[in-house]
Amino acid sequence: MKNWIWIGLAVIAVVCAVRAAPSTPADIERSQNRVVPVPFSVSSAAEALQKTLDVADMHADSLLWKRDILERSDRGHVDLPRLIEGHYALQVFSSVTKSPAGQNFNSNSADTDTVTGLVKIQEQPMRTWDSLLQRSLYHAEKLRGFAQASQGQLRLITSPEDIDRLLADRKQGETVVGGMLSIEGLHDLEGKIENLDVLHDAGFRMAGLTHFFDNDIAGSMHGLNKGGLTPLGRQVVARMEALGMIVDLAHASHATIADVLAMARRAVVFSHGGVLGTCNVNRNLTDDEIRGIAKTGGVIGIGFFRGAICSTEPKDVARAIAYVRDVVGIDHVGLGSDFDGGTTVAFDASQIAAVTQALLDAGFAEDDIRKVMGGNVLRVLRAGIAPATP
Protein backbone atom coordinates (compact mmCIF):
# COMPACT_ATOMS: atom_id res chain seq x y z
CA MET A 1 0.00 0.00 0.00
CA LYS A 2 2.83 2.41 0.86
CA ASN A 3 4.37 1.77 -2.56
CA TRP A 4 1.12 2.68 -4.28
CA ILE A 5 0.83 5.83 -2.18
CA TRP A 6 4.33 6.91 -3.19
CA ILE A 7 3.60 6.09 -6.85
CA GLY A 8 0.40 8.12 -6.64
CA LEU A 9 2.20 11.06 -5.09
CA ALA A 10 4.88 10.87 -7.78
CA VAL A 11 2.26 10.93 -10.56
CA ILE A 12 0.56 13.93 -8.95
CA ALA A 13 3.91 15.73 -8.70
CA VAL A 14 4.66 15.09 -12.38
CA VAL A 15 1.22 16.29 -13.44
CA CYS A 16 1.58 19.44 -11.33
CA ALA A 17 5.04 20.10 -12.76
CA VAL A 18 3.77 19.75 -16.32
CA ARG A 19 0.87 22.06 -15.60
CA ALA A 20 3.19 24.60 -13.98
CA ALA A 21 5.80 24.51 -16.75
CA PRO A 22 5.57 27.19 -19.44
CA SER A 23 3.67 25.62 -22.33
CA THR A 24 3.05 28.36 -24.90
CA PRO A 25 5.50 30.70 -26.65
CA ALA A 26 4.15 33.60 -24.59
CA ASP A 27 4.53 31.66 -21.33
CA ILE A 28 8.06 30.62 -22.22
CA GLU A 29 9.12 34.16 -22.99
CA ARG A 30 7.40 35.52 -19.91
CA SER A 31 9.43 33.09 -17.80
CA GLN A 32 12.70 34.01 -19.52
CA ASN A 33 12.58 37.80 -20.00
CA ARG A 34 11.59 39.24 -16.66
CA VAL A 35 11.43 42.69 -15.12
CA VAL A 36 11.94 42.66 -11.36
CA PRO A 37 11.84 46.32 -10.29
CA VAL A 38 14.28 47.86 -7.86
CA PRO A 39 13.68 51.24 -6.22
CA PHE A 40 14.63 54.18 -8.42
CA SER A 41 13.14 57.52 -9.34
CA VAL A 42 13.66 59.79 -12.33
CA SER A 43 13.84 63.52 -11.71
CA SER A 44 12.25 66.17 -13.89
CA ALA A 45 15.77 67.19 -14.96
CA ALA A 46 16.55 63.64 -16.15
CA GLU A 47 13.19 63.41 -17.93
CA ALA A 48 13.85 66.69 -19.72
CA LEU A 49 17.32 65.53 -20.78
CA GLN A 50 15.96 62.16 -21.91
CA LYS A 51 13.61 63.84 -24.36
CA THR A 52 16.61 65.35 -26.16
CA LEU A 53 18.64 62.12 -26.43
CA ASP A 54 19.19 59.75 -29.34
CA VAL A 55 19.48 56.52 -27.36
CA ALA A 56 21.31 53.62 -29.01
CA ASP A 57 21.62 50.10 -27.59
CA MET A 58 23.90 47.48 -29.12
CA HIS A 59 22.11 44.30 -28.11
CA ALA A 60 18.57 42.92 -27.75
CA ASP A 61 17.36 39.41 -28.61
CA SER A 62 13.74 40.33 -29.31
CA LEU A 63 13.66 38.56 -32.70
CA LEU A 64 14.11 35.19 -30.96
CA TRP A 65 10.58 35.29 -29.57
CA LYS A 66 7.14 34.92 -31.14
CA ARG A 67 5.97 38.47 -30.56
CA ASP A 68 4.90 41.43 -32.70
CA ILE A 69 7.37 44.14 -31.70
CA LEU A 70 5.17 46.81 -33.29
CA GLU A 71 2.64 46.29 -30.49
CA ARG A 72 3.20 47.15 -26.85
CA SER A 73 3.45 43.88 -24.94
CA ASP A 74 3.00 42.86 -21.32
CA ARG A 75 6.06 40.62 -21.57
CA GLY A 76 9.68 41.03 -22.54
CA HIS A 77 11.69 44.23 -22.53
CA VAL A 78 11.58 45.74 -26.03
CA ASP A 79 8.95 46.71 -28.56
CA LEU A 80 8.49 49.75 -30.77
CA PRO A 81 6.15 51.65 -28.40
CA ARG A 82 8.59 51.17 -25.54
CA LEU A 83 11.55 52.21 -27.70
CA ILE A 84 9.70 55.37 -28.70
CA GLU A 85 8.83 56.10 -25.09
CA GLY A 86 12.50 55.71 -24.16
CA HIS A 87 13.60 58.09 -26.94
CA TYR A 88 15.63 55.48 -28.79
CA ALA A 89 17.22 56.34 -32.11
CA LEU A 90 18.65 52.86 -32.73
CA GLN A 91 18.23 49.35 -31.39
CA VAL A 92 20.54 46.56 -32.56
CA PHE A 93 18.56 43.31 -32.81
CA SER A 94 20.62 40.13 -32.53
CA SER A 95 19.91 36.76 -34.10
CA VAL A 96 20.29 33.92 -31.59
CA THR A 97 20.41 30.55 -33.36
CA LYS A 98 21.77 28.09 -30.79
CA SER A 99 21.99 27.86 -27.01
CA PRO A 100 23.31 24.89 -25.01
CA ALA A 101 21.29 23.04 -22.40
CA GLY A 102 22.37 24.00 -18.89
CA GLN A 103 23.88 27.21 -20.23
CA ASN A 104 26.33 28.84 -17.82
CA PHE A 105 29.18 31.34 -17.84
CA ASN A 106 31.95 28.80 -17.16
CA SER A 107 31.89 25.79 -19.48
CA ASN A 108 29.49 24.57 -22.17
CA SER A 109 29.76 22.06 -24.99
CA ALA A 110 28.25 22.56 -28.43
CA ASP A 111 26.47 19.19 -28.33
CA THR A 112 23.02 20.39 -27.25
CA ASP A 113 20.66 23.15 -28.33
CA THR A 114 17.58 24.57 -26.66
CA VAL A 115 16.70 26.95 -29.51
CA THR A 116 15.58 24.05 -31.72
CA GLY A 117 12.75 23.24 -29.32
CA LEU A 118 11.73 26.89 -29.17
CA VAL A 119 11.74 27.11 -32.98
CA LYS A 120 9.31 24.20 -33.19
CA ILE A 121 7.04 25.36 -30.36
CA GLN A 122 6.83 28.78 -32.04
CA GLU A 123 5.86 27.05 -35.32
CA GLN A 124 8.57 28.75 -37.32
CA PRO A 125 9.06 27.72 -40.97
CA MET A 126 10.38 24.17 -41.24
CA ARG A 127 13.50 25.41 -43.04
CA THR A 128 14.59 26.88 -39.68
CA TRP A 129 14.22 23.62 -37.77
CA ASP A 130 17.58 22.17 -38.70
CA SER A 131 19.51 25.09 -40.19
CA LEU A 132 21.20 27.81 -38.13
CA LEU A 133 21.69 29.88 -41.27
CA GLN A 134 17.99 29.77 -42.03
CA ARG A 135 17.18 30.82 -38.46
CA SER A 136 19.18 34.01 -38.94
CA LEU A 137 17.67 34.66 -42.36
CA TYR A 138 14.22 34.24 -40.80
CA HIS A 139 15.10 36.79 -38.11
CA ALA A 140 16.14 39.21 -40.85
CA GLU A 141 12.83 38.64 -42.61
CA LYS A 142 10.98 39.34 -39.36
CA LEU A 143 12.69 42.67 -38.76
CA ARG A 144 12.25 43.73 -42.37
CA GLY A 145 8.58 42.81 -42.17
CA PHE A 146 8.11 44.78 -38.97
CA ALA A 147 9.75 47.81 -40.59
CA GLN A 148 7.53 47.56 -43.66
CA ALA A 149 4.40 47.35 -41.50
CA SER A 150 5.39 50.15 -39.11
CA GLN A 151 4.12 53.10 -41.18
CA GLY A 152 7.62 54.54 -41.21
CA GLN A 153 8.25 54.41 -37.46
CA LEU A 154 10.79 51.57 -37.65
CA ARG A 155 13.55 51.57 -40.26
CA LEU A 156 16.02 48.86 -41.14
CA ILE A 157 19.51 50.37 -40.97
CA THR A 158 22.09 48.99 -43.41
CA SER A 159 24.28 51.95 -44.41
CA PRO A 160 25.88 55.10 -43.00
CA GLU A 161 23.43 57.11 -45.07
CA ASP A 162 20.55 55.35 -43.31
CA ILE A 163 21.90 56.54 -39.96
CA ASP A 164 22.39 60.08 -41.24
CA ARG A 165 18.82 60.19 -42.56
CA LEU A 166 17.45 58.69 -39.35
CA LEU A 167 19.12 61.29 -37.14
CA ALA A 168 18.18 64.17 -39.45
CA ASP A 169 14.54 63.12 -39.48
CA ARG A 170 14.49 62.73 -35.70
CA LYS A 171 15.95 66.21 -35.39
CA GLN A 172 13.04 67.49 -37.49
CA GLY A 173 10.61 65.94 -35.03
CA GLU A 174 9.75 62.65 -36.76
CA THR A 175 8.91 59.70 -34.54
CA VAL A 176 11.23 57.06 -35.95
CA VAL A 177 13.54 54.36 -34.59
CA GLY A 178 16.25 52.47 -36.46
CA GLY A 179 16.74 48.73 -36.19
CA MET A 180 20.03 47.10 -37.15
CA LEU A 181 20.67 43.37 -37.49
CA SER A 182 23.43 41.51 -35.65
CA ILE A 183 24.29 37.86 -35.00
CA GLU A 184 25.09 36.12 -31.72
CA GLY A 185 27.70 33.60 -32.82
CA LEU A 186 28.81 32.83 -36.37
CA HIS A 187 28.08 29.12 -36.07
CA ASP A 188 25.21 30.15 -38.36
CA LEU A 189 27.75 30.23 -41.21
CA GLU A 190 27.52 26.43 -41.03
CA GLY A 191 31.23 26.24 -41.77
CA LYS A 192 31.04 28.13 -45.07
CA ILE A 193 32.63 31.57 -45.35
CA GLU A 194 30.49 32.37 -48.39
CA ASN A 195 27.47 32.40 -46.09
CA LEU A 196 28.87 35.60 -44.56
CA ASP A 197 27.99 37.36 -47.81
CA VAL A 198 24.54 35.76 -47.72
CA LEU A 199 23.97 37.21 -44.26
CA HIS A 200 25.33 40.62 -45.26
CA ASP A 201 22.99 40.64 -48.26
CA ALA A 202 20.12 39.89 -45.87
CA GLY A 203 20.94 43.04 -43.89
CA PHE A 204 23.23 41.91 -41.08
CA ARG A 205 25.82 44.56 -40.20
CA MET A 206 27.37 43.19 -36.98
CA ALA A 207 28.23 39.73 -35.71
CA GLY A 208 29.61 38.14 -32.59
CA LEU A 209 32.07 35.37 -33.38
CA THR A 210 30.87 33.04 -30.63
CA HIS A 211 28.07 32.61 -28.14
CA PHE A 212 28.10 30.24 -25.15
CA PHE A 213 30.23 27.50 -26.74
CA ASP A 214 33.32 27.13 -28.92
CA ASN A 215 32.58 26.93 -32.64
CA ASP A 216 34.54 26.51 -35.86
CA ILE A 217 35.24 30.26 -35.94
CA ALA A 218 36.64 30.91 -32.47
CA GLY A 219 36.74 30.00 -28.81
CA SER A 220 34.08 31.22 -26.40
CA MET A 221 34.61 32.65 -22.93
CA HIS A 222 32.15 29.96 -21.85
CA GLY A 223 33.35 27.07 -24.04
CA LEU A 224 35.21 23.88 -23.17
CA ASN A 225 38.57 24.84 -24.67
CA LYS A 226 38.34 28.64 -24.82
CA GLY A 227 40.83 28.79 -27.70
CA GLY A 228 41.48 31.63 -30.10
CA LEU A 229 40.58 32.27 -33.72
CA THR A 230 40.63 29.26 -36.02
CA PRO A 231 42.05 29.54 -39.56
CA LEU A 232 38.46 29.94 -40.77
CA GLY A 233 37.89 32.55 -38.09
CA ARG A 234 40.79 34.65 -39.35
CA GLN A 235 39.31 34.56 -42.85
CA VAL A 236 35.92 35.52 -41.46
CA VAL A 237 37.24 38.54 -39.53
CA ALA A 238 39.07 39.82 -42.62
CA ARG A 239 35.97 39.36 -44.78
CA MET A 240 33.76 41.10 -42.19
CA GLU A 241 36.05 44.13 -42.23
CA ALA A 242 35.94 44.24 -46.02
CA LEU A 243 32.14 44.02 -46.15
CA GLY A 244 31.46 46.56 -43.42
CA MET A 245 30.22 44.04 -40.88
CA ILE A 246 31.32 45.01 -37.37
CA VAL A 247 33.17 42.41 -35.31
CA ASP A 248 31.56 41.93 -31.89
CA LEU A 249 33.75 40.42 -29.15
CA ALA A 250 30.95 39.73 -26.65
CA HIS A 251 31.23 36.13 -25.38
CA ALA A 252 34.63 35.69 -27.06
CA SER A 253 37.38 33.96 -25.08
CA HIS A 254 40.38 35.94 -23.88
CA ALA A 255 42.47 34.17 -26.54
CA THR A 256 39.96 35.11 -29.26
CA ILE A 257 39.88 38.73 -28.12
CA ALA A 258 43.69 38.86 -28.23
CA ASP A 259 43.76 37.33 -31.73
CA VAL A 260 41.14 39.74 -33.09
CA LEU A 261 42.78 42.80 -31.55
CA ALA A 262 46.11 41.76 -33.07
CA MET A 263 44.68 41.61 -36.61
CA ALA A 264 41.90 44.25 -36.49
CA ARG A 265 42.15 47.06 -39.02
CA ARG A 266 38.77 48.57 -38.14
CA ALA A 267 36.89 49.33 -34.93
CA VAL A 268 35.55 46.35 -33.00
CA VAL A 269 32.85 46.38 -30.33
CA PHE A 270 31.93 44.48 -27.20
CA SER A 271 28.19 44.74 -27.61
CA HIS A 272 26.93 43.62 -24.22
CA GLY A 273 28.53 42.69 -20.94
CA GLY A 274 30.61 44.24 -18.22
CA VAL A 275 34.11 44.78 -16.89
CA LEU A 276 36.03 42.77 -14.31
CA GLY A 277 36.92 45.99 -12.53
CA THR A 278 33.37 46.28 -11.20
CA CYS A 279 31.97 42.74 -11.62
CA ASN A 280 34.21 39.67 -11.43
CA VAL A 281 32.17 37.34 -13.66
CA ASN A 282 33.52 35.12 -16.43
CA ARG A 283 32.08 37.08 -19.33
CA ASN A 284 33.53 40.50 -18.57
CA LEU A 285 36.56 42.40 -19.87
CA THR A 286 39.99 42.91 -18.34
CA ASP A 287 41.47 46.41 -18.30
CA ASP A 288 43.90 45.45 -21.08
CA GLU A 289 40.98 44.25 -23.22
CA ILE A 290 39.16 47.53 -22.58
CA ARG A 291 42.26 49.38 -23.76
CA GLY A 292 42.63 47.13 -26.79
CA ILE A 293 39.05 47.69 -27.95
CA ALA A 294 39.39 51.44 -27.45
CA LYS A 295 42.65 51.44 -29.44
CA THR A 296 40.73 50.18 -32.48
CA GLY A 297 38.28 53.07 -32.06
CA GLY A 298 35.59 50.75 -30.77
CA VAL A 299 33.00 50.92 -28.02
CA ILE A 300 32.01 48.73 -25.06
CA GLY A 301 28.31 48.20 -24.33
CA ILE A 302 27.46 47.83 -20.65
CA GLY A 303 24.67 45.38 -19.87
CA PHE A 304 21.82 45.78 -17.40
CA PHE A 305 21.80 42.23 -16.03
CA ARG A 306 23.47 40.60 -13.04
CA GLY A 307 26.20 38.82 -15.05
CA ALA A 308 27.41 42.17 -16.39
CA ILE A 309 27.18 44.48 -13.37
CA CYS A 310 26.68 42.07 -10.42
CA SER A 311 23.23 43.57 -9.76
CA THR A 312 20.38 45.00 -11.79
CA GLU A 313 20.44 48.48 -10.28
CA PRO A 314 20.86 51.55 -12.50
CA LYS A 315 23.60 52.89 -10.23
CA ASP A 316 25.73 49.84 -11.04
CA VAL A 317 25.24 50.39 -14.78
CA ALA A 318 26.60 53.90 -14.19
CA ARG A 319 29.42 52.49 -12.05
CA ALA A 320 30.60 50.19 -14.85
CA ILE A 321 30.31 53.02 -17.39
CA ALA A 322 32.40 55.25 -15.13
CA TYR A 323 35.03 52.52 -14.84
CA VAL A 324 35.44 52.28 -18.62
CA ARG A 325 35.56 56.08 -18.85
CA ASP A 326 38.32 56.19 -16.26
CA VAL A 327 40.37 53.55 -18.11
CA VAL A 328 40.07 54.77 -21.72
CA GLY A 329 37.92 57.91 -21.82
CA ILE A 330 34.27 58.72 -22.37
CA ASP A 331 34.28 58.04 -26.13
CA HIS A 332 34.51 54.26 -25.81
CA VAL A 333 31.53 53.25 -23.68
CA GLY A 334 27.82 52.91 -24.37
CA LEU A 335 24.76 50.73 -23.78
CA GLY A 336 24.43 46.99 -24.38
CA SER A 337 21.34 46.01 -22.44
CA ASP A 338 20.88 42.35 -23.47
CA PHE A 339 17.15 43.04 -23.28
CA ASP A 340 15.01 40.03 -24.23
CA GLY A 341 18.07 37.79 -23.96
CA GLY A 342 16.70 35.46 -21.32
CA THR A 343 17.65 38.11 -18.78
CA THR A 344 16.12 39.52 -15.62
CA VAL A 345 16.41 43.31 -15.44
CA ALA A 346 15.06 46.09 -13.26
CA PHE A 347 13.52 48.18 -16.04
CA ASP A 348 12.55 47.85 -19.70
CA ALA A 349 13.28 50.03 -22.73
CA SER A 350 10.55 52.51 -21.84
CA GLN A 351 12.31 53.18 -18.53
CA ILE A 352 15.84 53.72 -19.88
CA ALA A 353 15.83 57.18 -18.29
CA ALA A 354 16.75 55.30 -15.11
CA VAL A 355 20.27 55.03 -16.56
CA THR A 356 20.27 58.72 -17.48
CA GLN A 357 19.33 59.52 -13.89
CA ALA A 358 22.06 57.24 -12.54
CA LEU A 359 24.65 58.97 -14.73
CA LEU A 360 23.49 62.37 -13.49
CA ASP A 361 23.67 61.09 -9.92
CA ALA A 362 27.23 59.90 -10.59
CA GLY A 363 28.25 63.38 -11.70
CA PHE A 364 28.41 62.88 -15.48
CA ALA A 365 28.14 66.05 -17.55
CA GLU A 366 25.23 66.30 -19.99
CA ASP A 367 27.51 66.15 -23.04
CA ASP A 368 29.09 62.96 -21.73
CA ILE A 369 25.67 61.47 -21.02
CA ARG A 370 24.72 62.12 -24.66
CA LYS A 371 27.78 60.16 -25.75
CA VAL A 372 27.12 57.23 -23.42
CA MET A 373 23.39 56.99 -24.09
CA GLY A 374 23.80 56.83 -27.86
CA GLY A 375 26.35 59.14 -29.42
CA ASN A 376 29.35 56.80 -29.11
CA VAL A 377 27.49 53.78 -30.45
CA LEU A 378 26.00 55.72 -33.36
CA ARG A 379 29.44 57.08 -34.30
CA VAL A 380 31.11 53.67 -34.27
CA LEU A 381 28.28 51.90 -36.09
CA ARG A 382 28.06 54.58 -38.77
CA ALA A 383 31.75 54.20 -39.56
CA GLY A 384 31.82 50.43 -39.18
CA ILE A 385 28.99 49.47 -41.55
CA ALA A 386 30.56 51.25 -44.52
CA PRO A 387 32.41 48.82 -46.82
CA ALA A 388 36.17 49.09 -46.57
CA THR A 389 37.83 51.37 -49.06
CA PRO A 390 40.41 49.72 -51.36
Side-chain angles (χ1 to χ4, degrees):
M1 180 64 70
K2 287 182 180 179
N3 287 340
W4 284 109
I5 291 172
W6 284 113
I7 291 171
L9 290 173
V11 170
I12 291 170
V14 169
V15 170
C16 289
V18 169
R19 286 178 177 173
S23 58
T24 68
D27 289 338
I28 293 169
E29 186 191 1
R30 194 171 280 110
S31 73
Q32 294 296 306
N33 299 321
R34 301 172 62 216
V35 176
V36 178
V38 299
F40 66 83
S41 59
V42 177
S43 66
S44 58
E47 289 178 350
L49 176 57
Q50 191 71 28
K51 292 177 182 178
T52 70
L53 297 179
D54 289 316
V55 177
D57 173 19
M58 284 198 290
H59 196 89
D61 293 330
S62 314
L63 298 175
L64 179 62
W65 311 100
K66 189 175 183 179
R67 175 158 53 88
D68 183 353
I69 64 169
L70 299 184
E71 301 292 332
R72 191 179 188 102
S73 179
D74 64 353
R75 65 182 190 272
H77 308 140
V78 171
D79 49 49
L80 184 59
R82 284 184 278 185
L83 292 173
I84 291 170
E85 190 172 334
H87 298 276
Y88 280 69
L90 181 70
Q91 177 65 63
V92 178
F93 291 99
S94 185
S95 171
V96 179
T97 62
K98 184 175 178 178
S99 183
Q103 179 175 293
N104 63 85
F105 288 144
N106 296 318
S107 182
N108 304 271
S109 80
D111 295 338
T112 60
D113 175 35
T114 60
V115 174
T116 298
L118 183 66
V119 162
K120 294 177 180 179
I121 289 170
Q122 293 185 155
E123 300 179 328
Q124 290 183 194
M126 289 188 67
R127 62 186 168 86
T128 68
W129 288 19
D130 58 3
S131 170
L132 305 187
L133 175 65
Q134 290 299 326
R135 290 176 191 177
S136 283
L137 295 177
Y138 175 65
H139 292 154
E141 291 167 12
K142 284 178 69 175
L143 186 60
R144 192 177 298 274
F146 289 139
Q148 290 172 347
S150 71
Q151 298 182 326
Q153 290 191 315
L154 177 65
R155 296 181 189 172
L156 182 63
I157 301 298
T158 61
S159 70
E161 294 75 20
D162 288 343
I163 293 179
D164 291 343
R165 192 176 308 111
L166 173 74
L167 295 179
D169 289 345
R170 286 177 57 82
K171 192 172 183 179
Q172 293 299 316
E174 287 194 35
T175 300
V176 59
V177 180
M180 197 178 90
L181 285 162
S182 182
I183 297 164
E184 192 141 40
L186 281 174
H187 30 273
D188 66 348
L189 294 181
E190 299 180 341
K192 300 176 181 178
I193 193 169
E194 55 266 30
N195 282 337
L196 195 64
D197 289 70
V198 173
L199 291 163
H200 186 269
D201 289 345
F204 288 93
R205 293 297 181 267
M206 181 191 294
L209 304 177
T210 63
H211 195 203
F212 270 88
F213 51 90
D214 304 326
N215 60 27
D216 54 5
I217 306 297
S220 166
M221 188 83 76
H222 328 290
L224 297 180
N225 298 318
K226 302 176 175 60
L229 285 173
T230 67
L232 176 60
R234 292 182 182 277
Q235 296 177 47
V236 166
V237 169
R239 183 59 182 159
M240 288 175 70
E241 290 193 330
L243 288 170
M245 200 168 179
I246 298 164
V247 176
D248 178 8
L249 294 177
H251 295 290
S253 68
H254 294 299
T256 294
I257 292 174
D259 286 347
V260 171
L261 292 178
M263 70 175 291
R265 298 296 177 265
R266 303 187 70 175
V268 302
V269 303
F270 183 80
S271 67
H272 62 297
V275 293
L276 291 174
T278 66
C279 184
N280 188 17
V281 170
N282 182 43
R283 66 162 294 150
N284 297 336
L285 295 172
T286 68
D287 286 5
D288 284 344
E289 289 166 344
I290 295 170
R291 294 186 188 100
I293 292 169
K295 189 175 180 180
T296 72
V299 65
I300 293 158
I302 299 300
F304 304 163
F305 55 98
R306 189 169 296 277
I309 58 171
C310 287
S311 85
T312 59
E313 297 191 30
K315 67 180 180 63
D316 288 317
V317 178
R319 179 168 169 253
I321 289 167
Y323 189 90
V324 176
R325 176 202 61 193
D326 293 345
V327 173
V328 292
I330 196 65
D331 293 330
H332 301 288
V333 63
L335 306 182
S337 66
D338 204 11
F339 279 154
D340 289 336
T343 51
T344 296
V345 293
F347 51 88
D348 65 15
S350 70
Q351 301 166 305
I352 192 66
V355 176
T356 302
Q357 180 67 63
L359 293 171
L360 285 170
D361 292 344
F364 281 71
E366 284 195 8
D367 286 347
D368 287 350
I369 291 174
R370 292 185 191 282
K371 290 182 177 183
V372 170
M373 295 300 290
N376 290 338
V377 167
L378 290 164
R379 182 192 74 248
V380 171
L381 298 189
R382 185 193 181 283
I385 63 177
T389 55

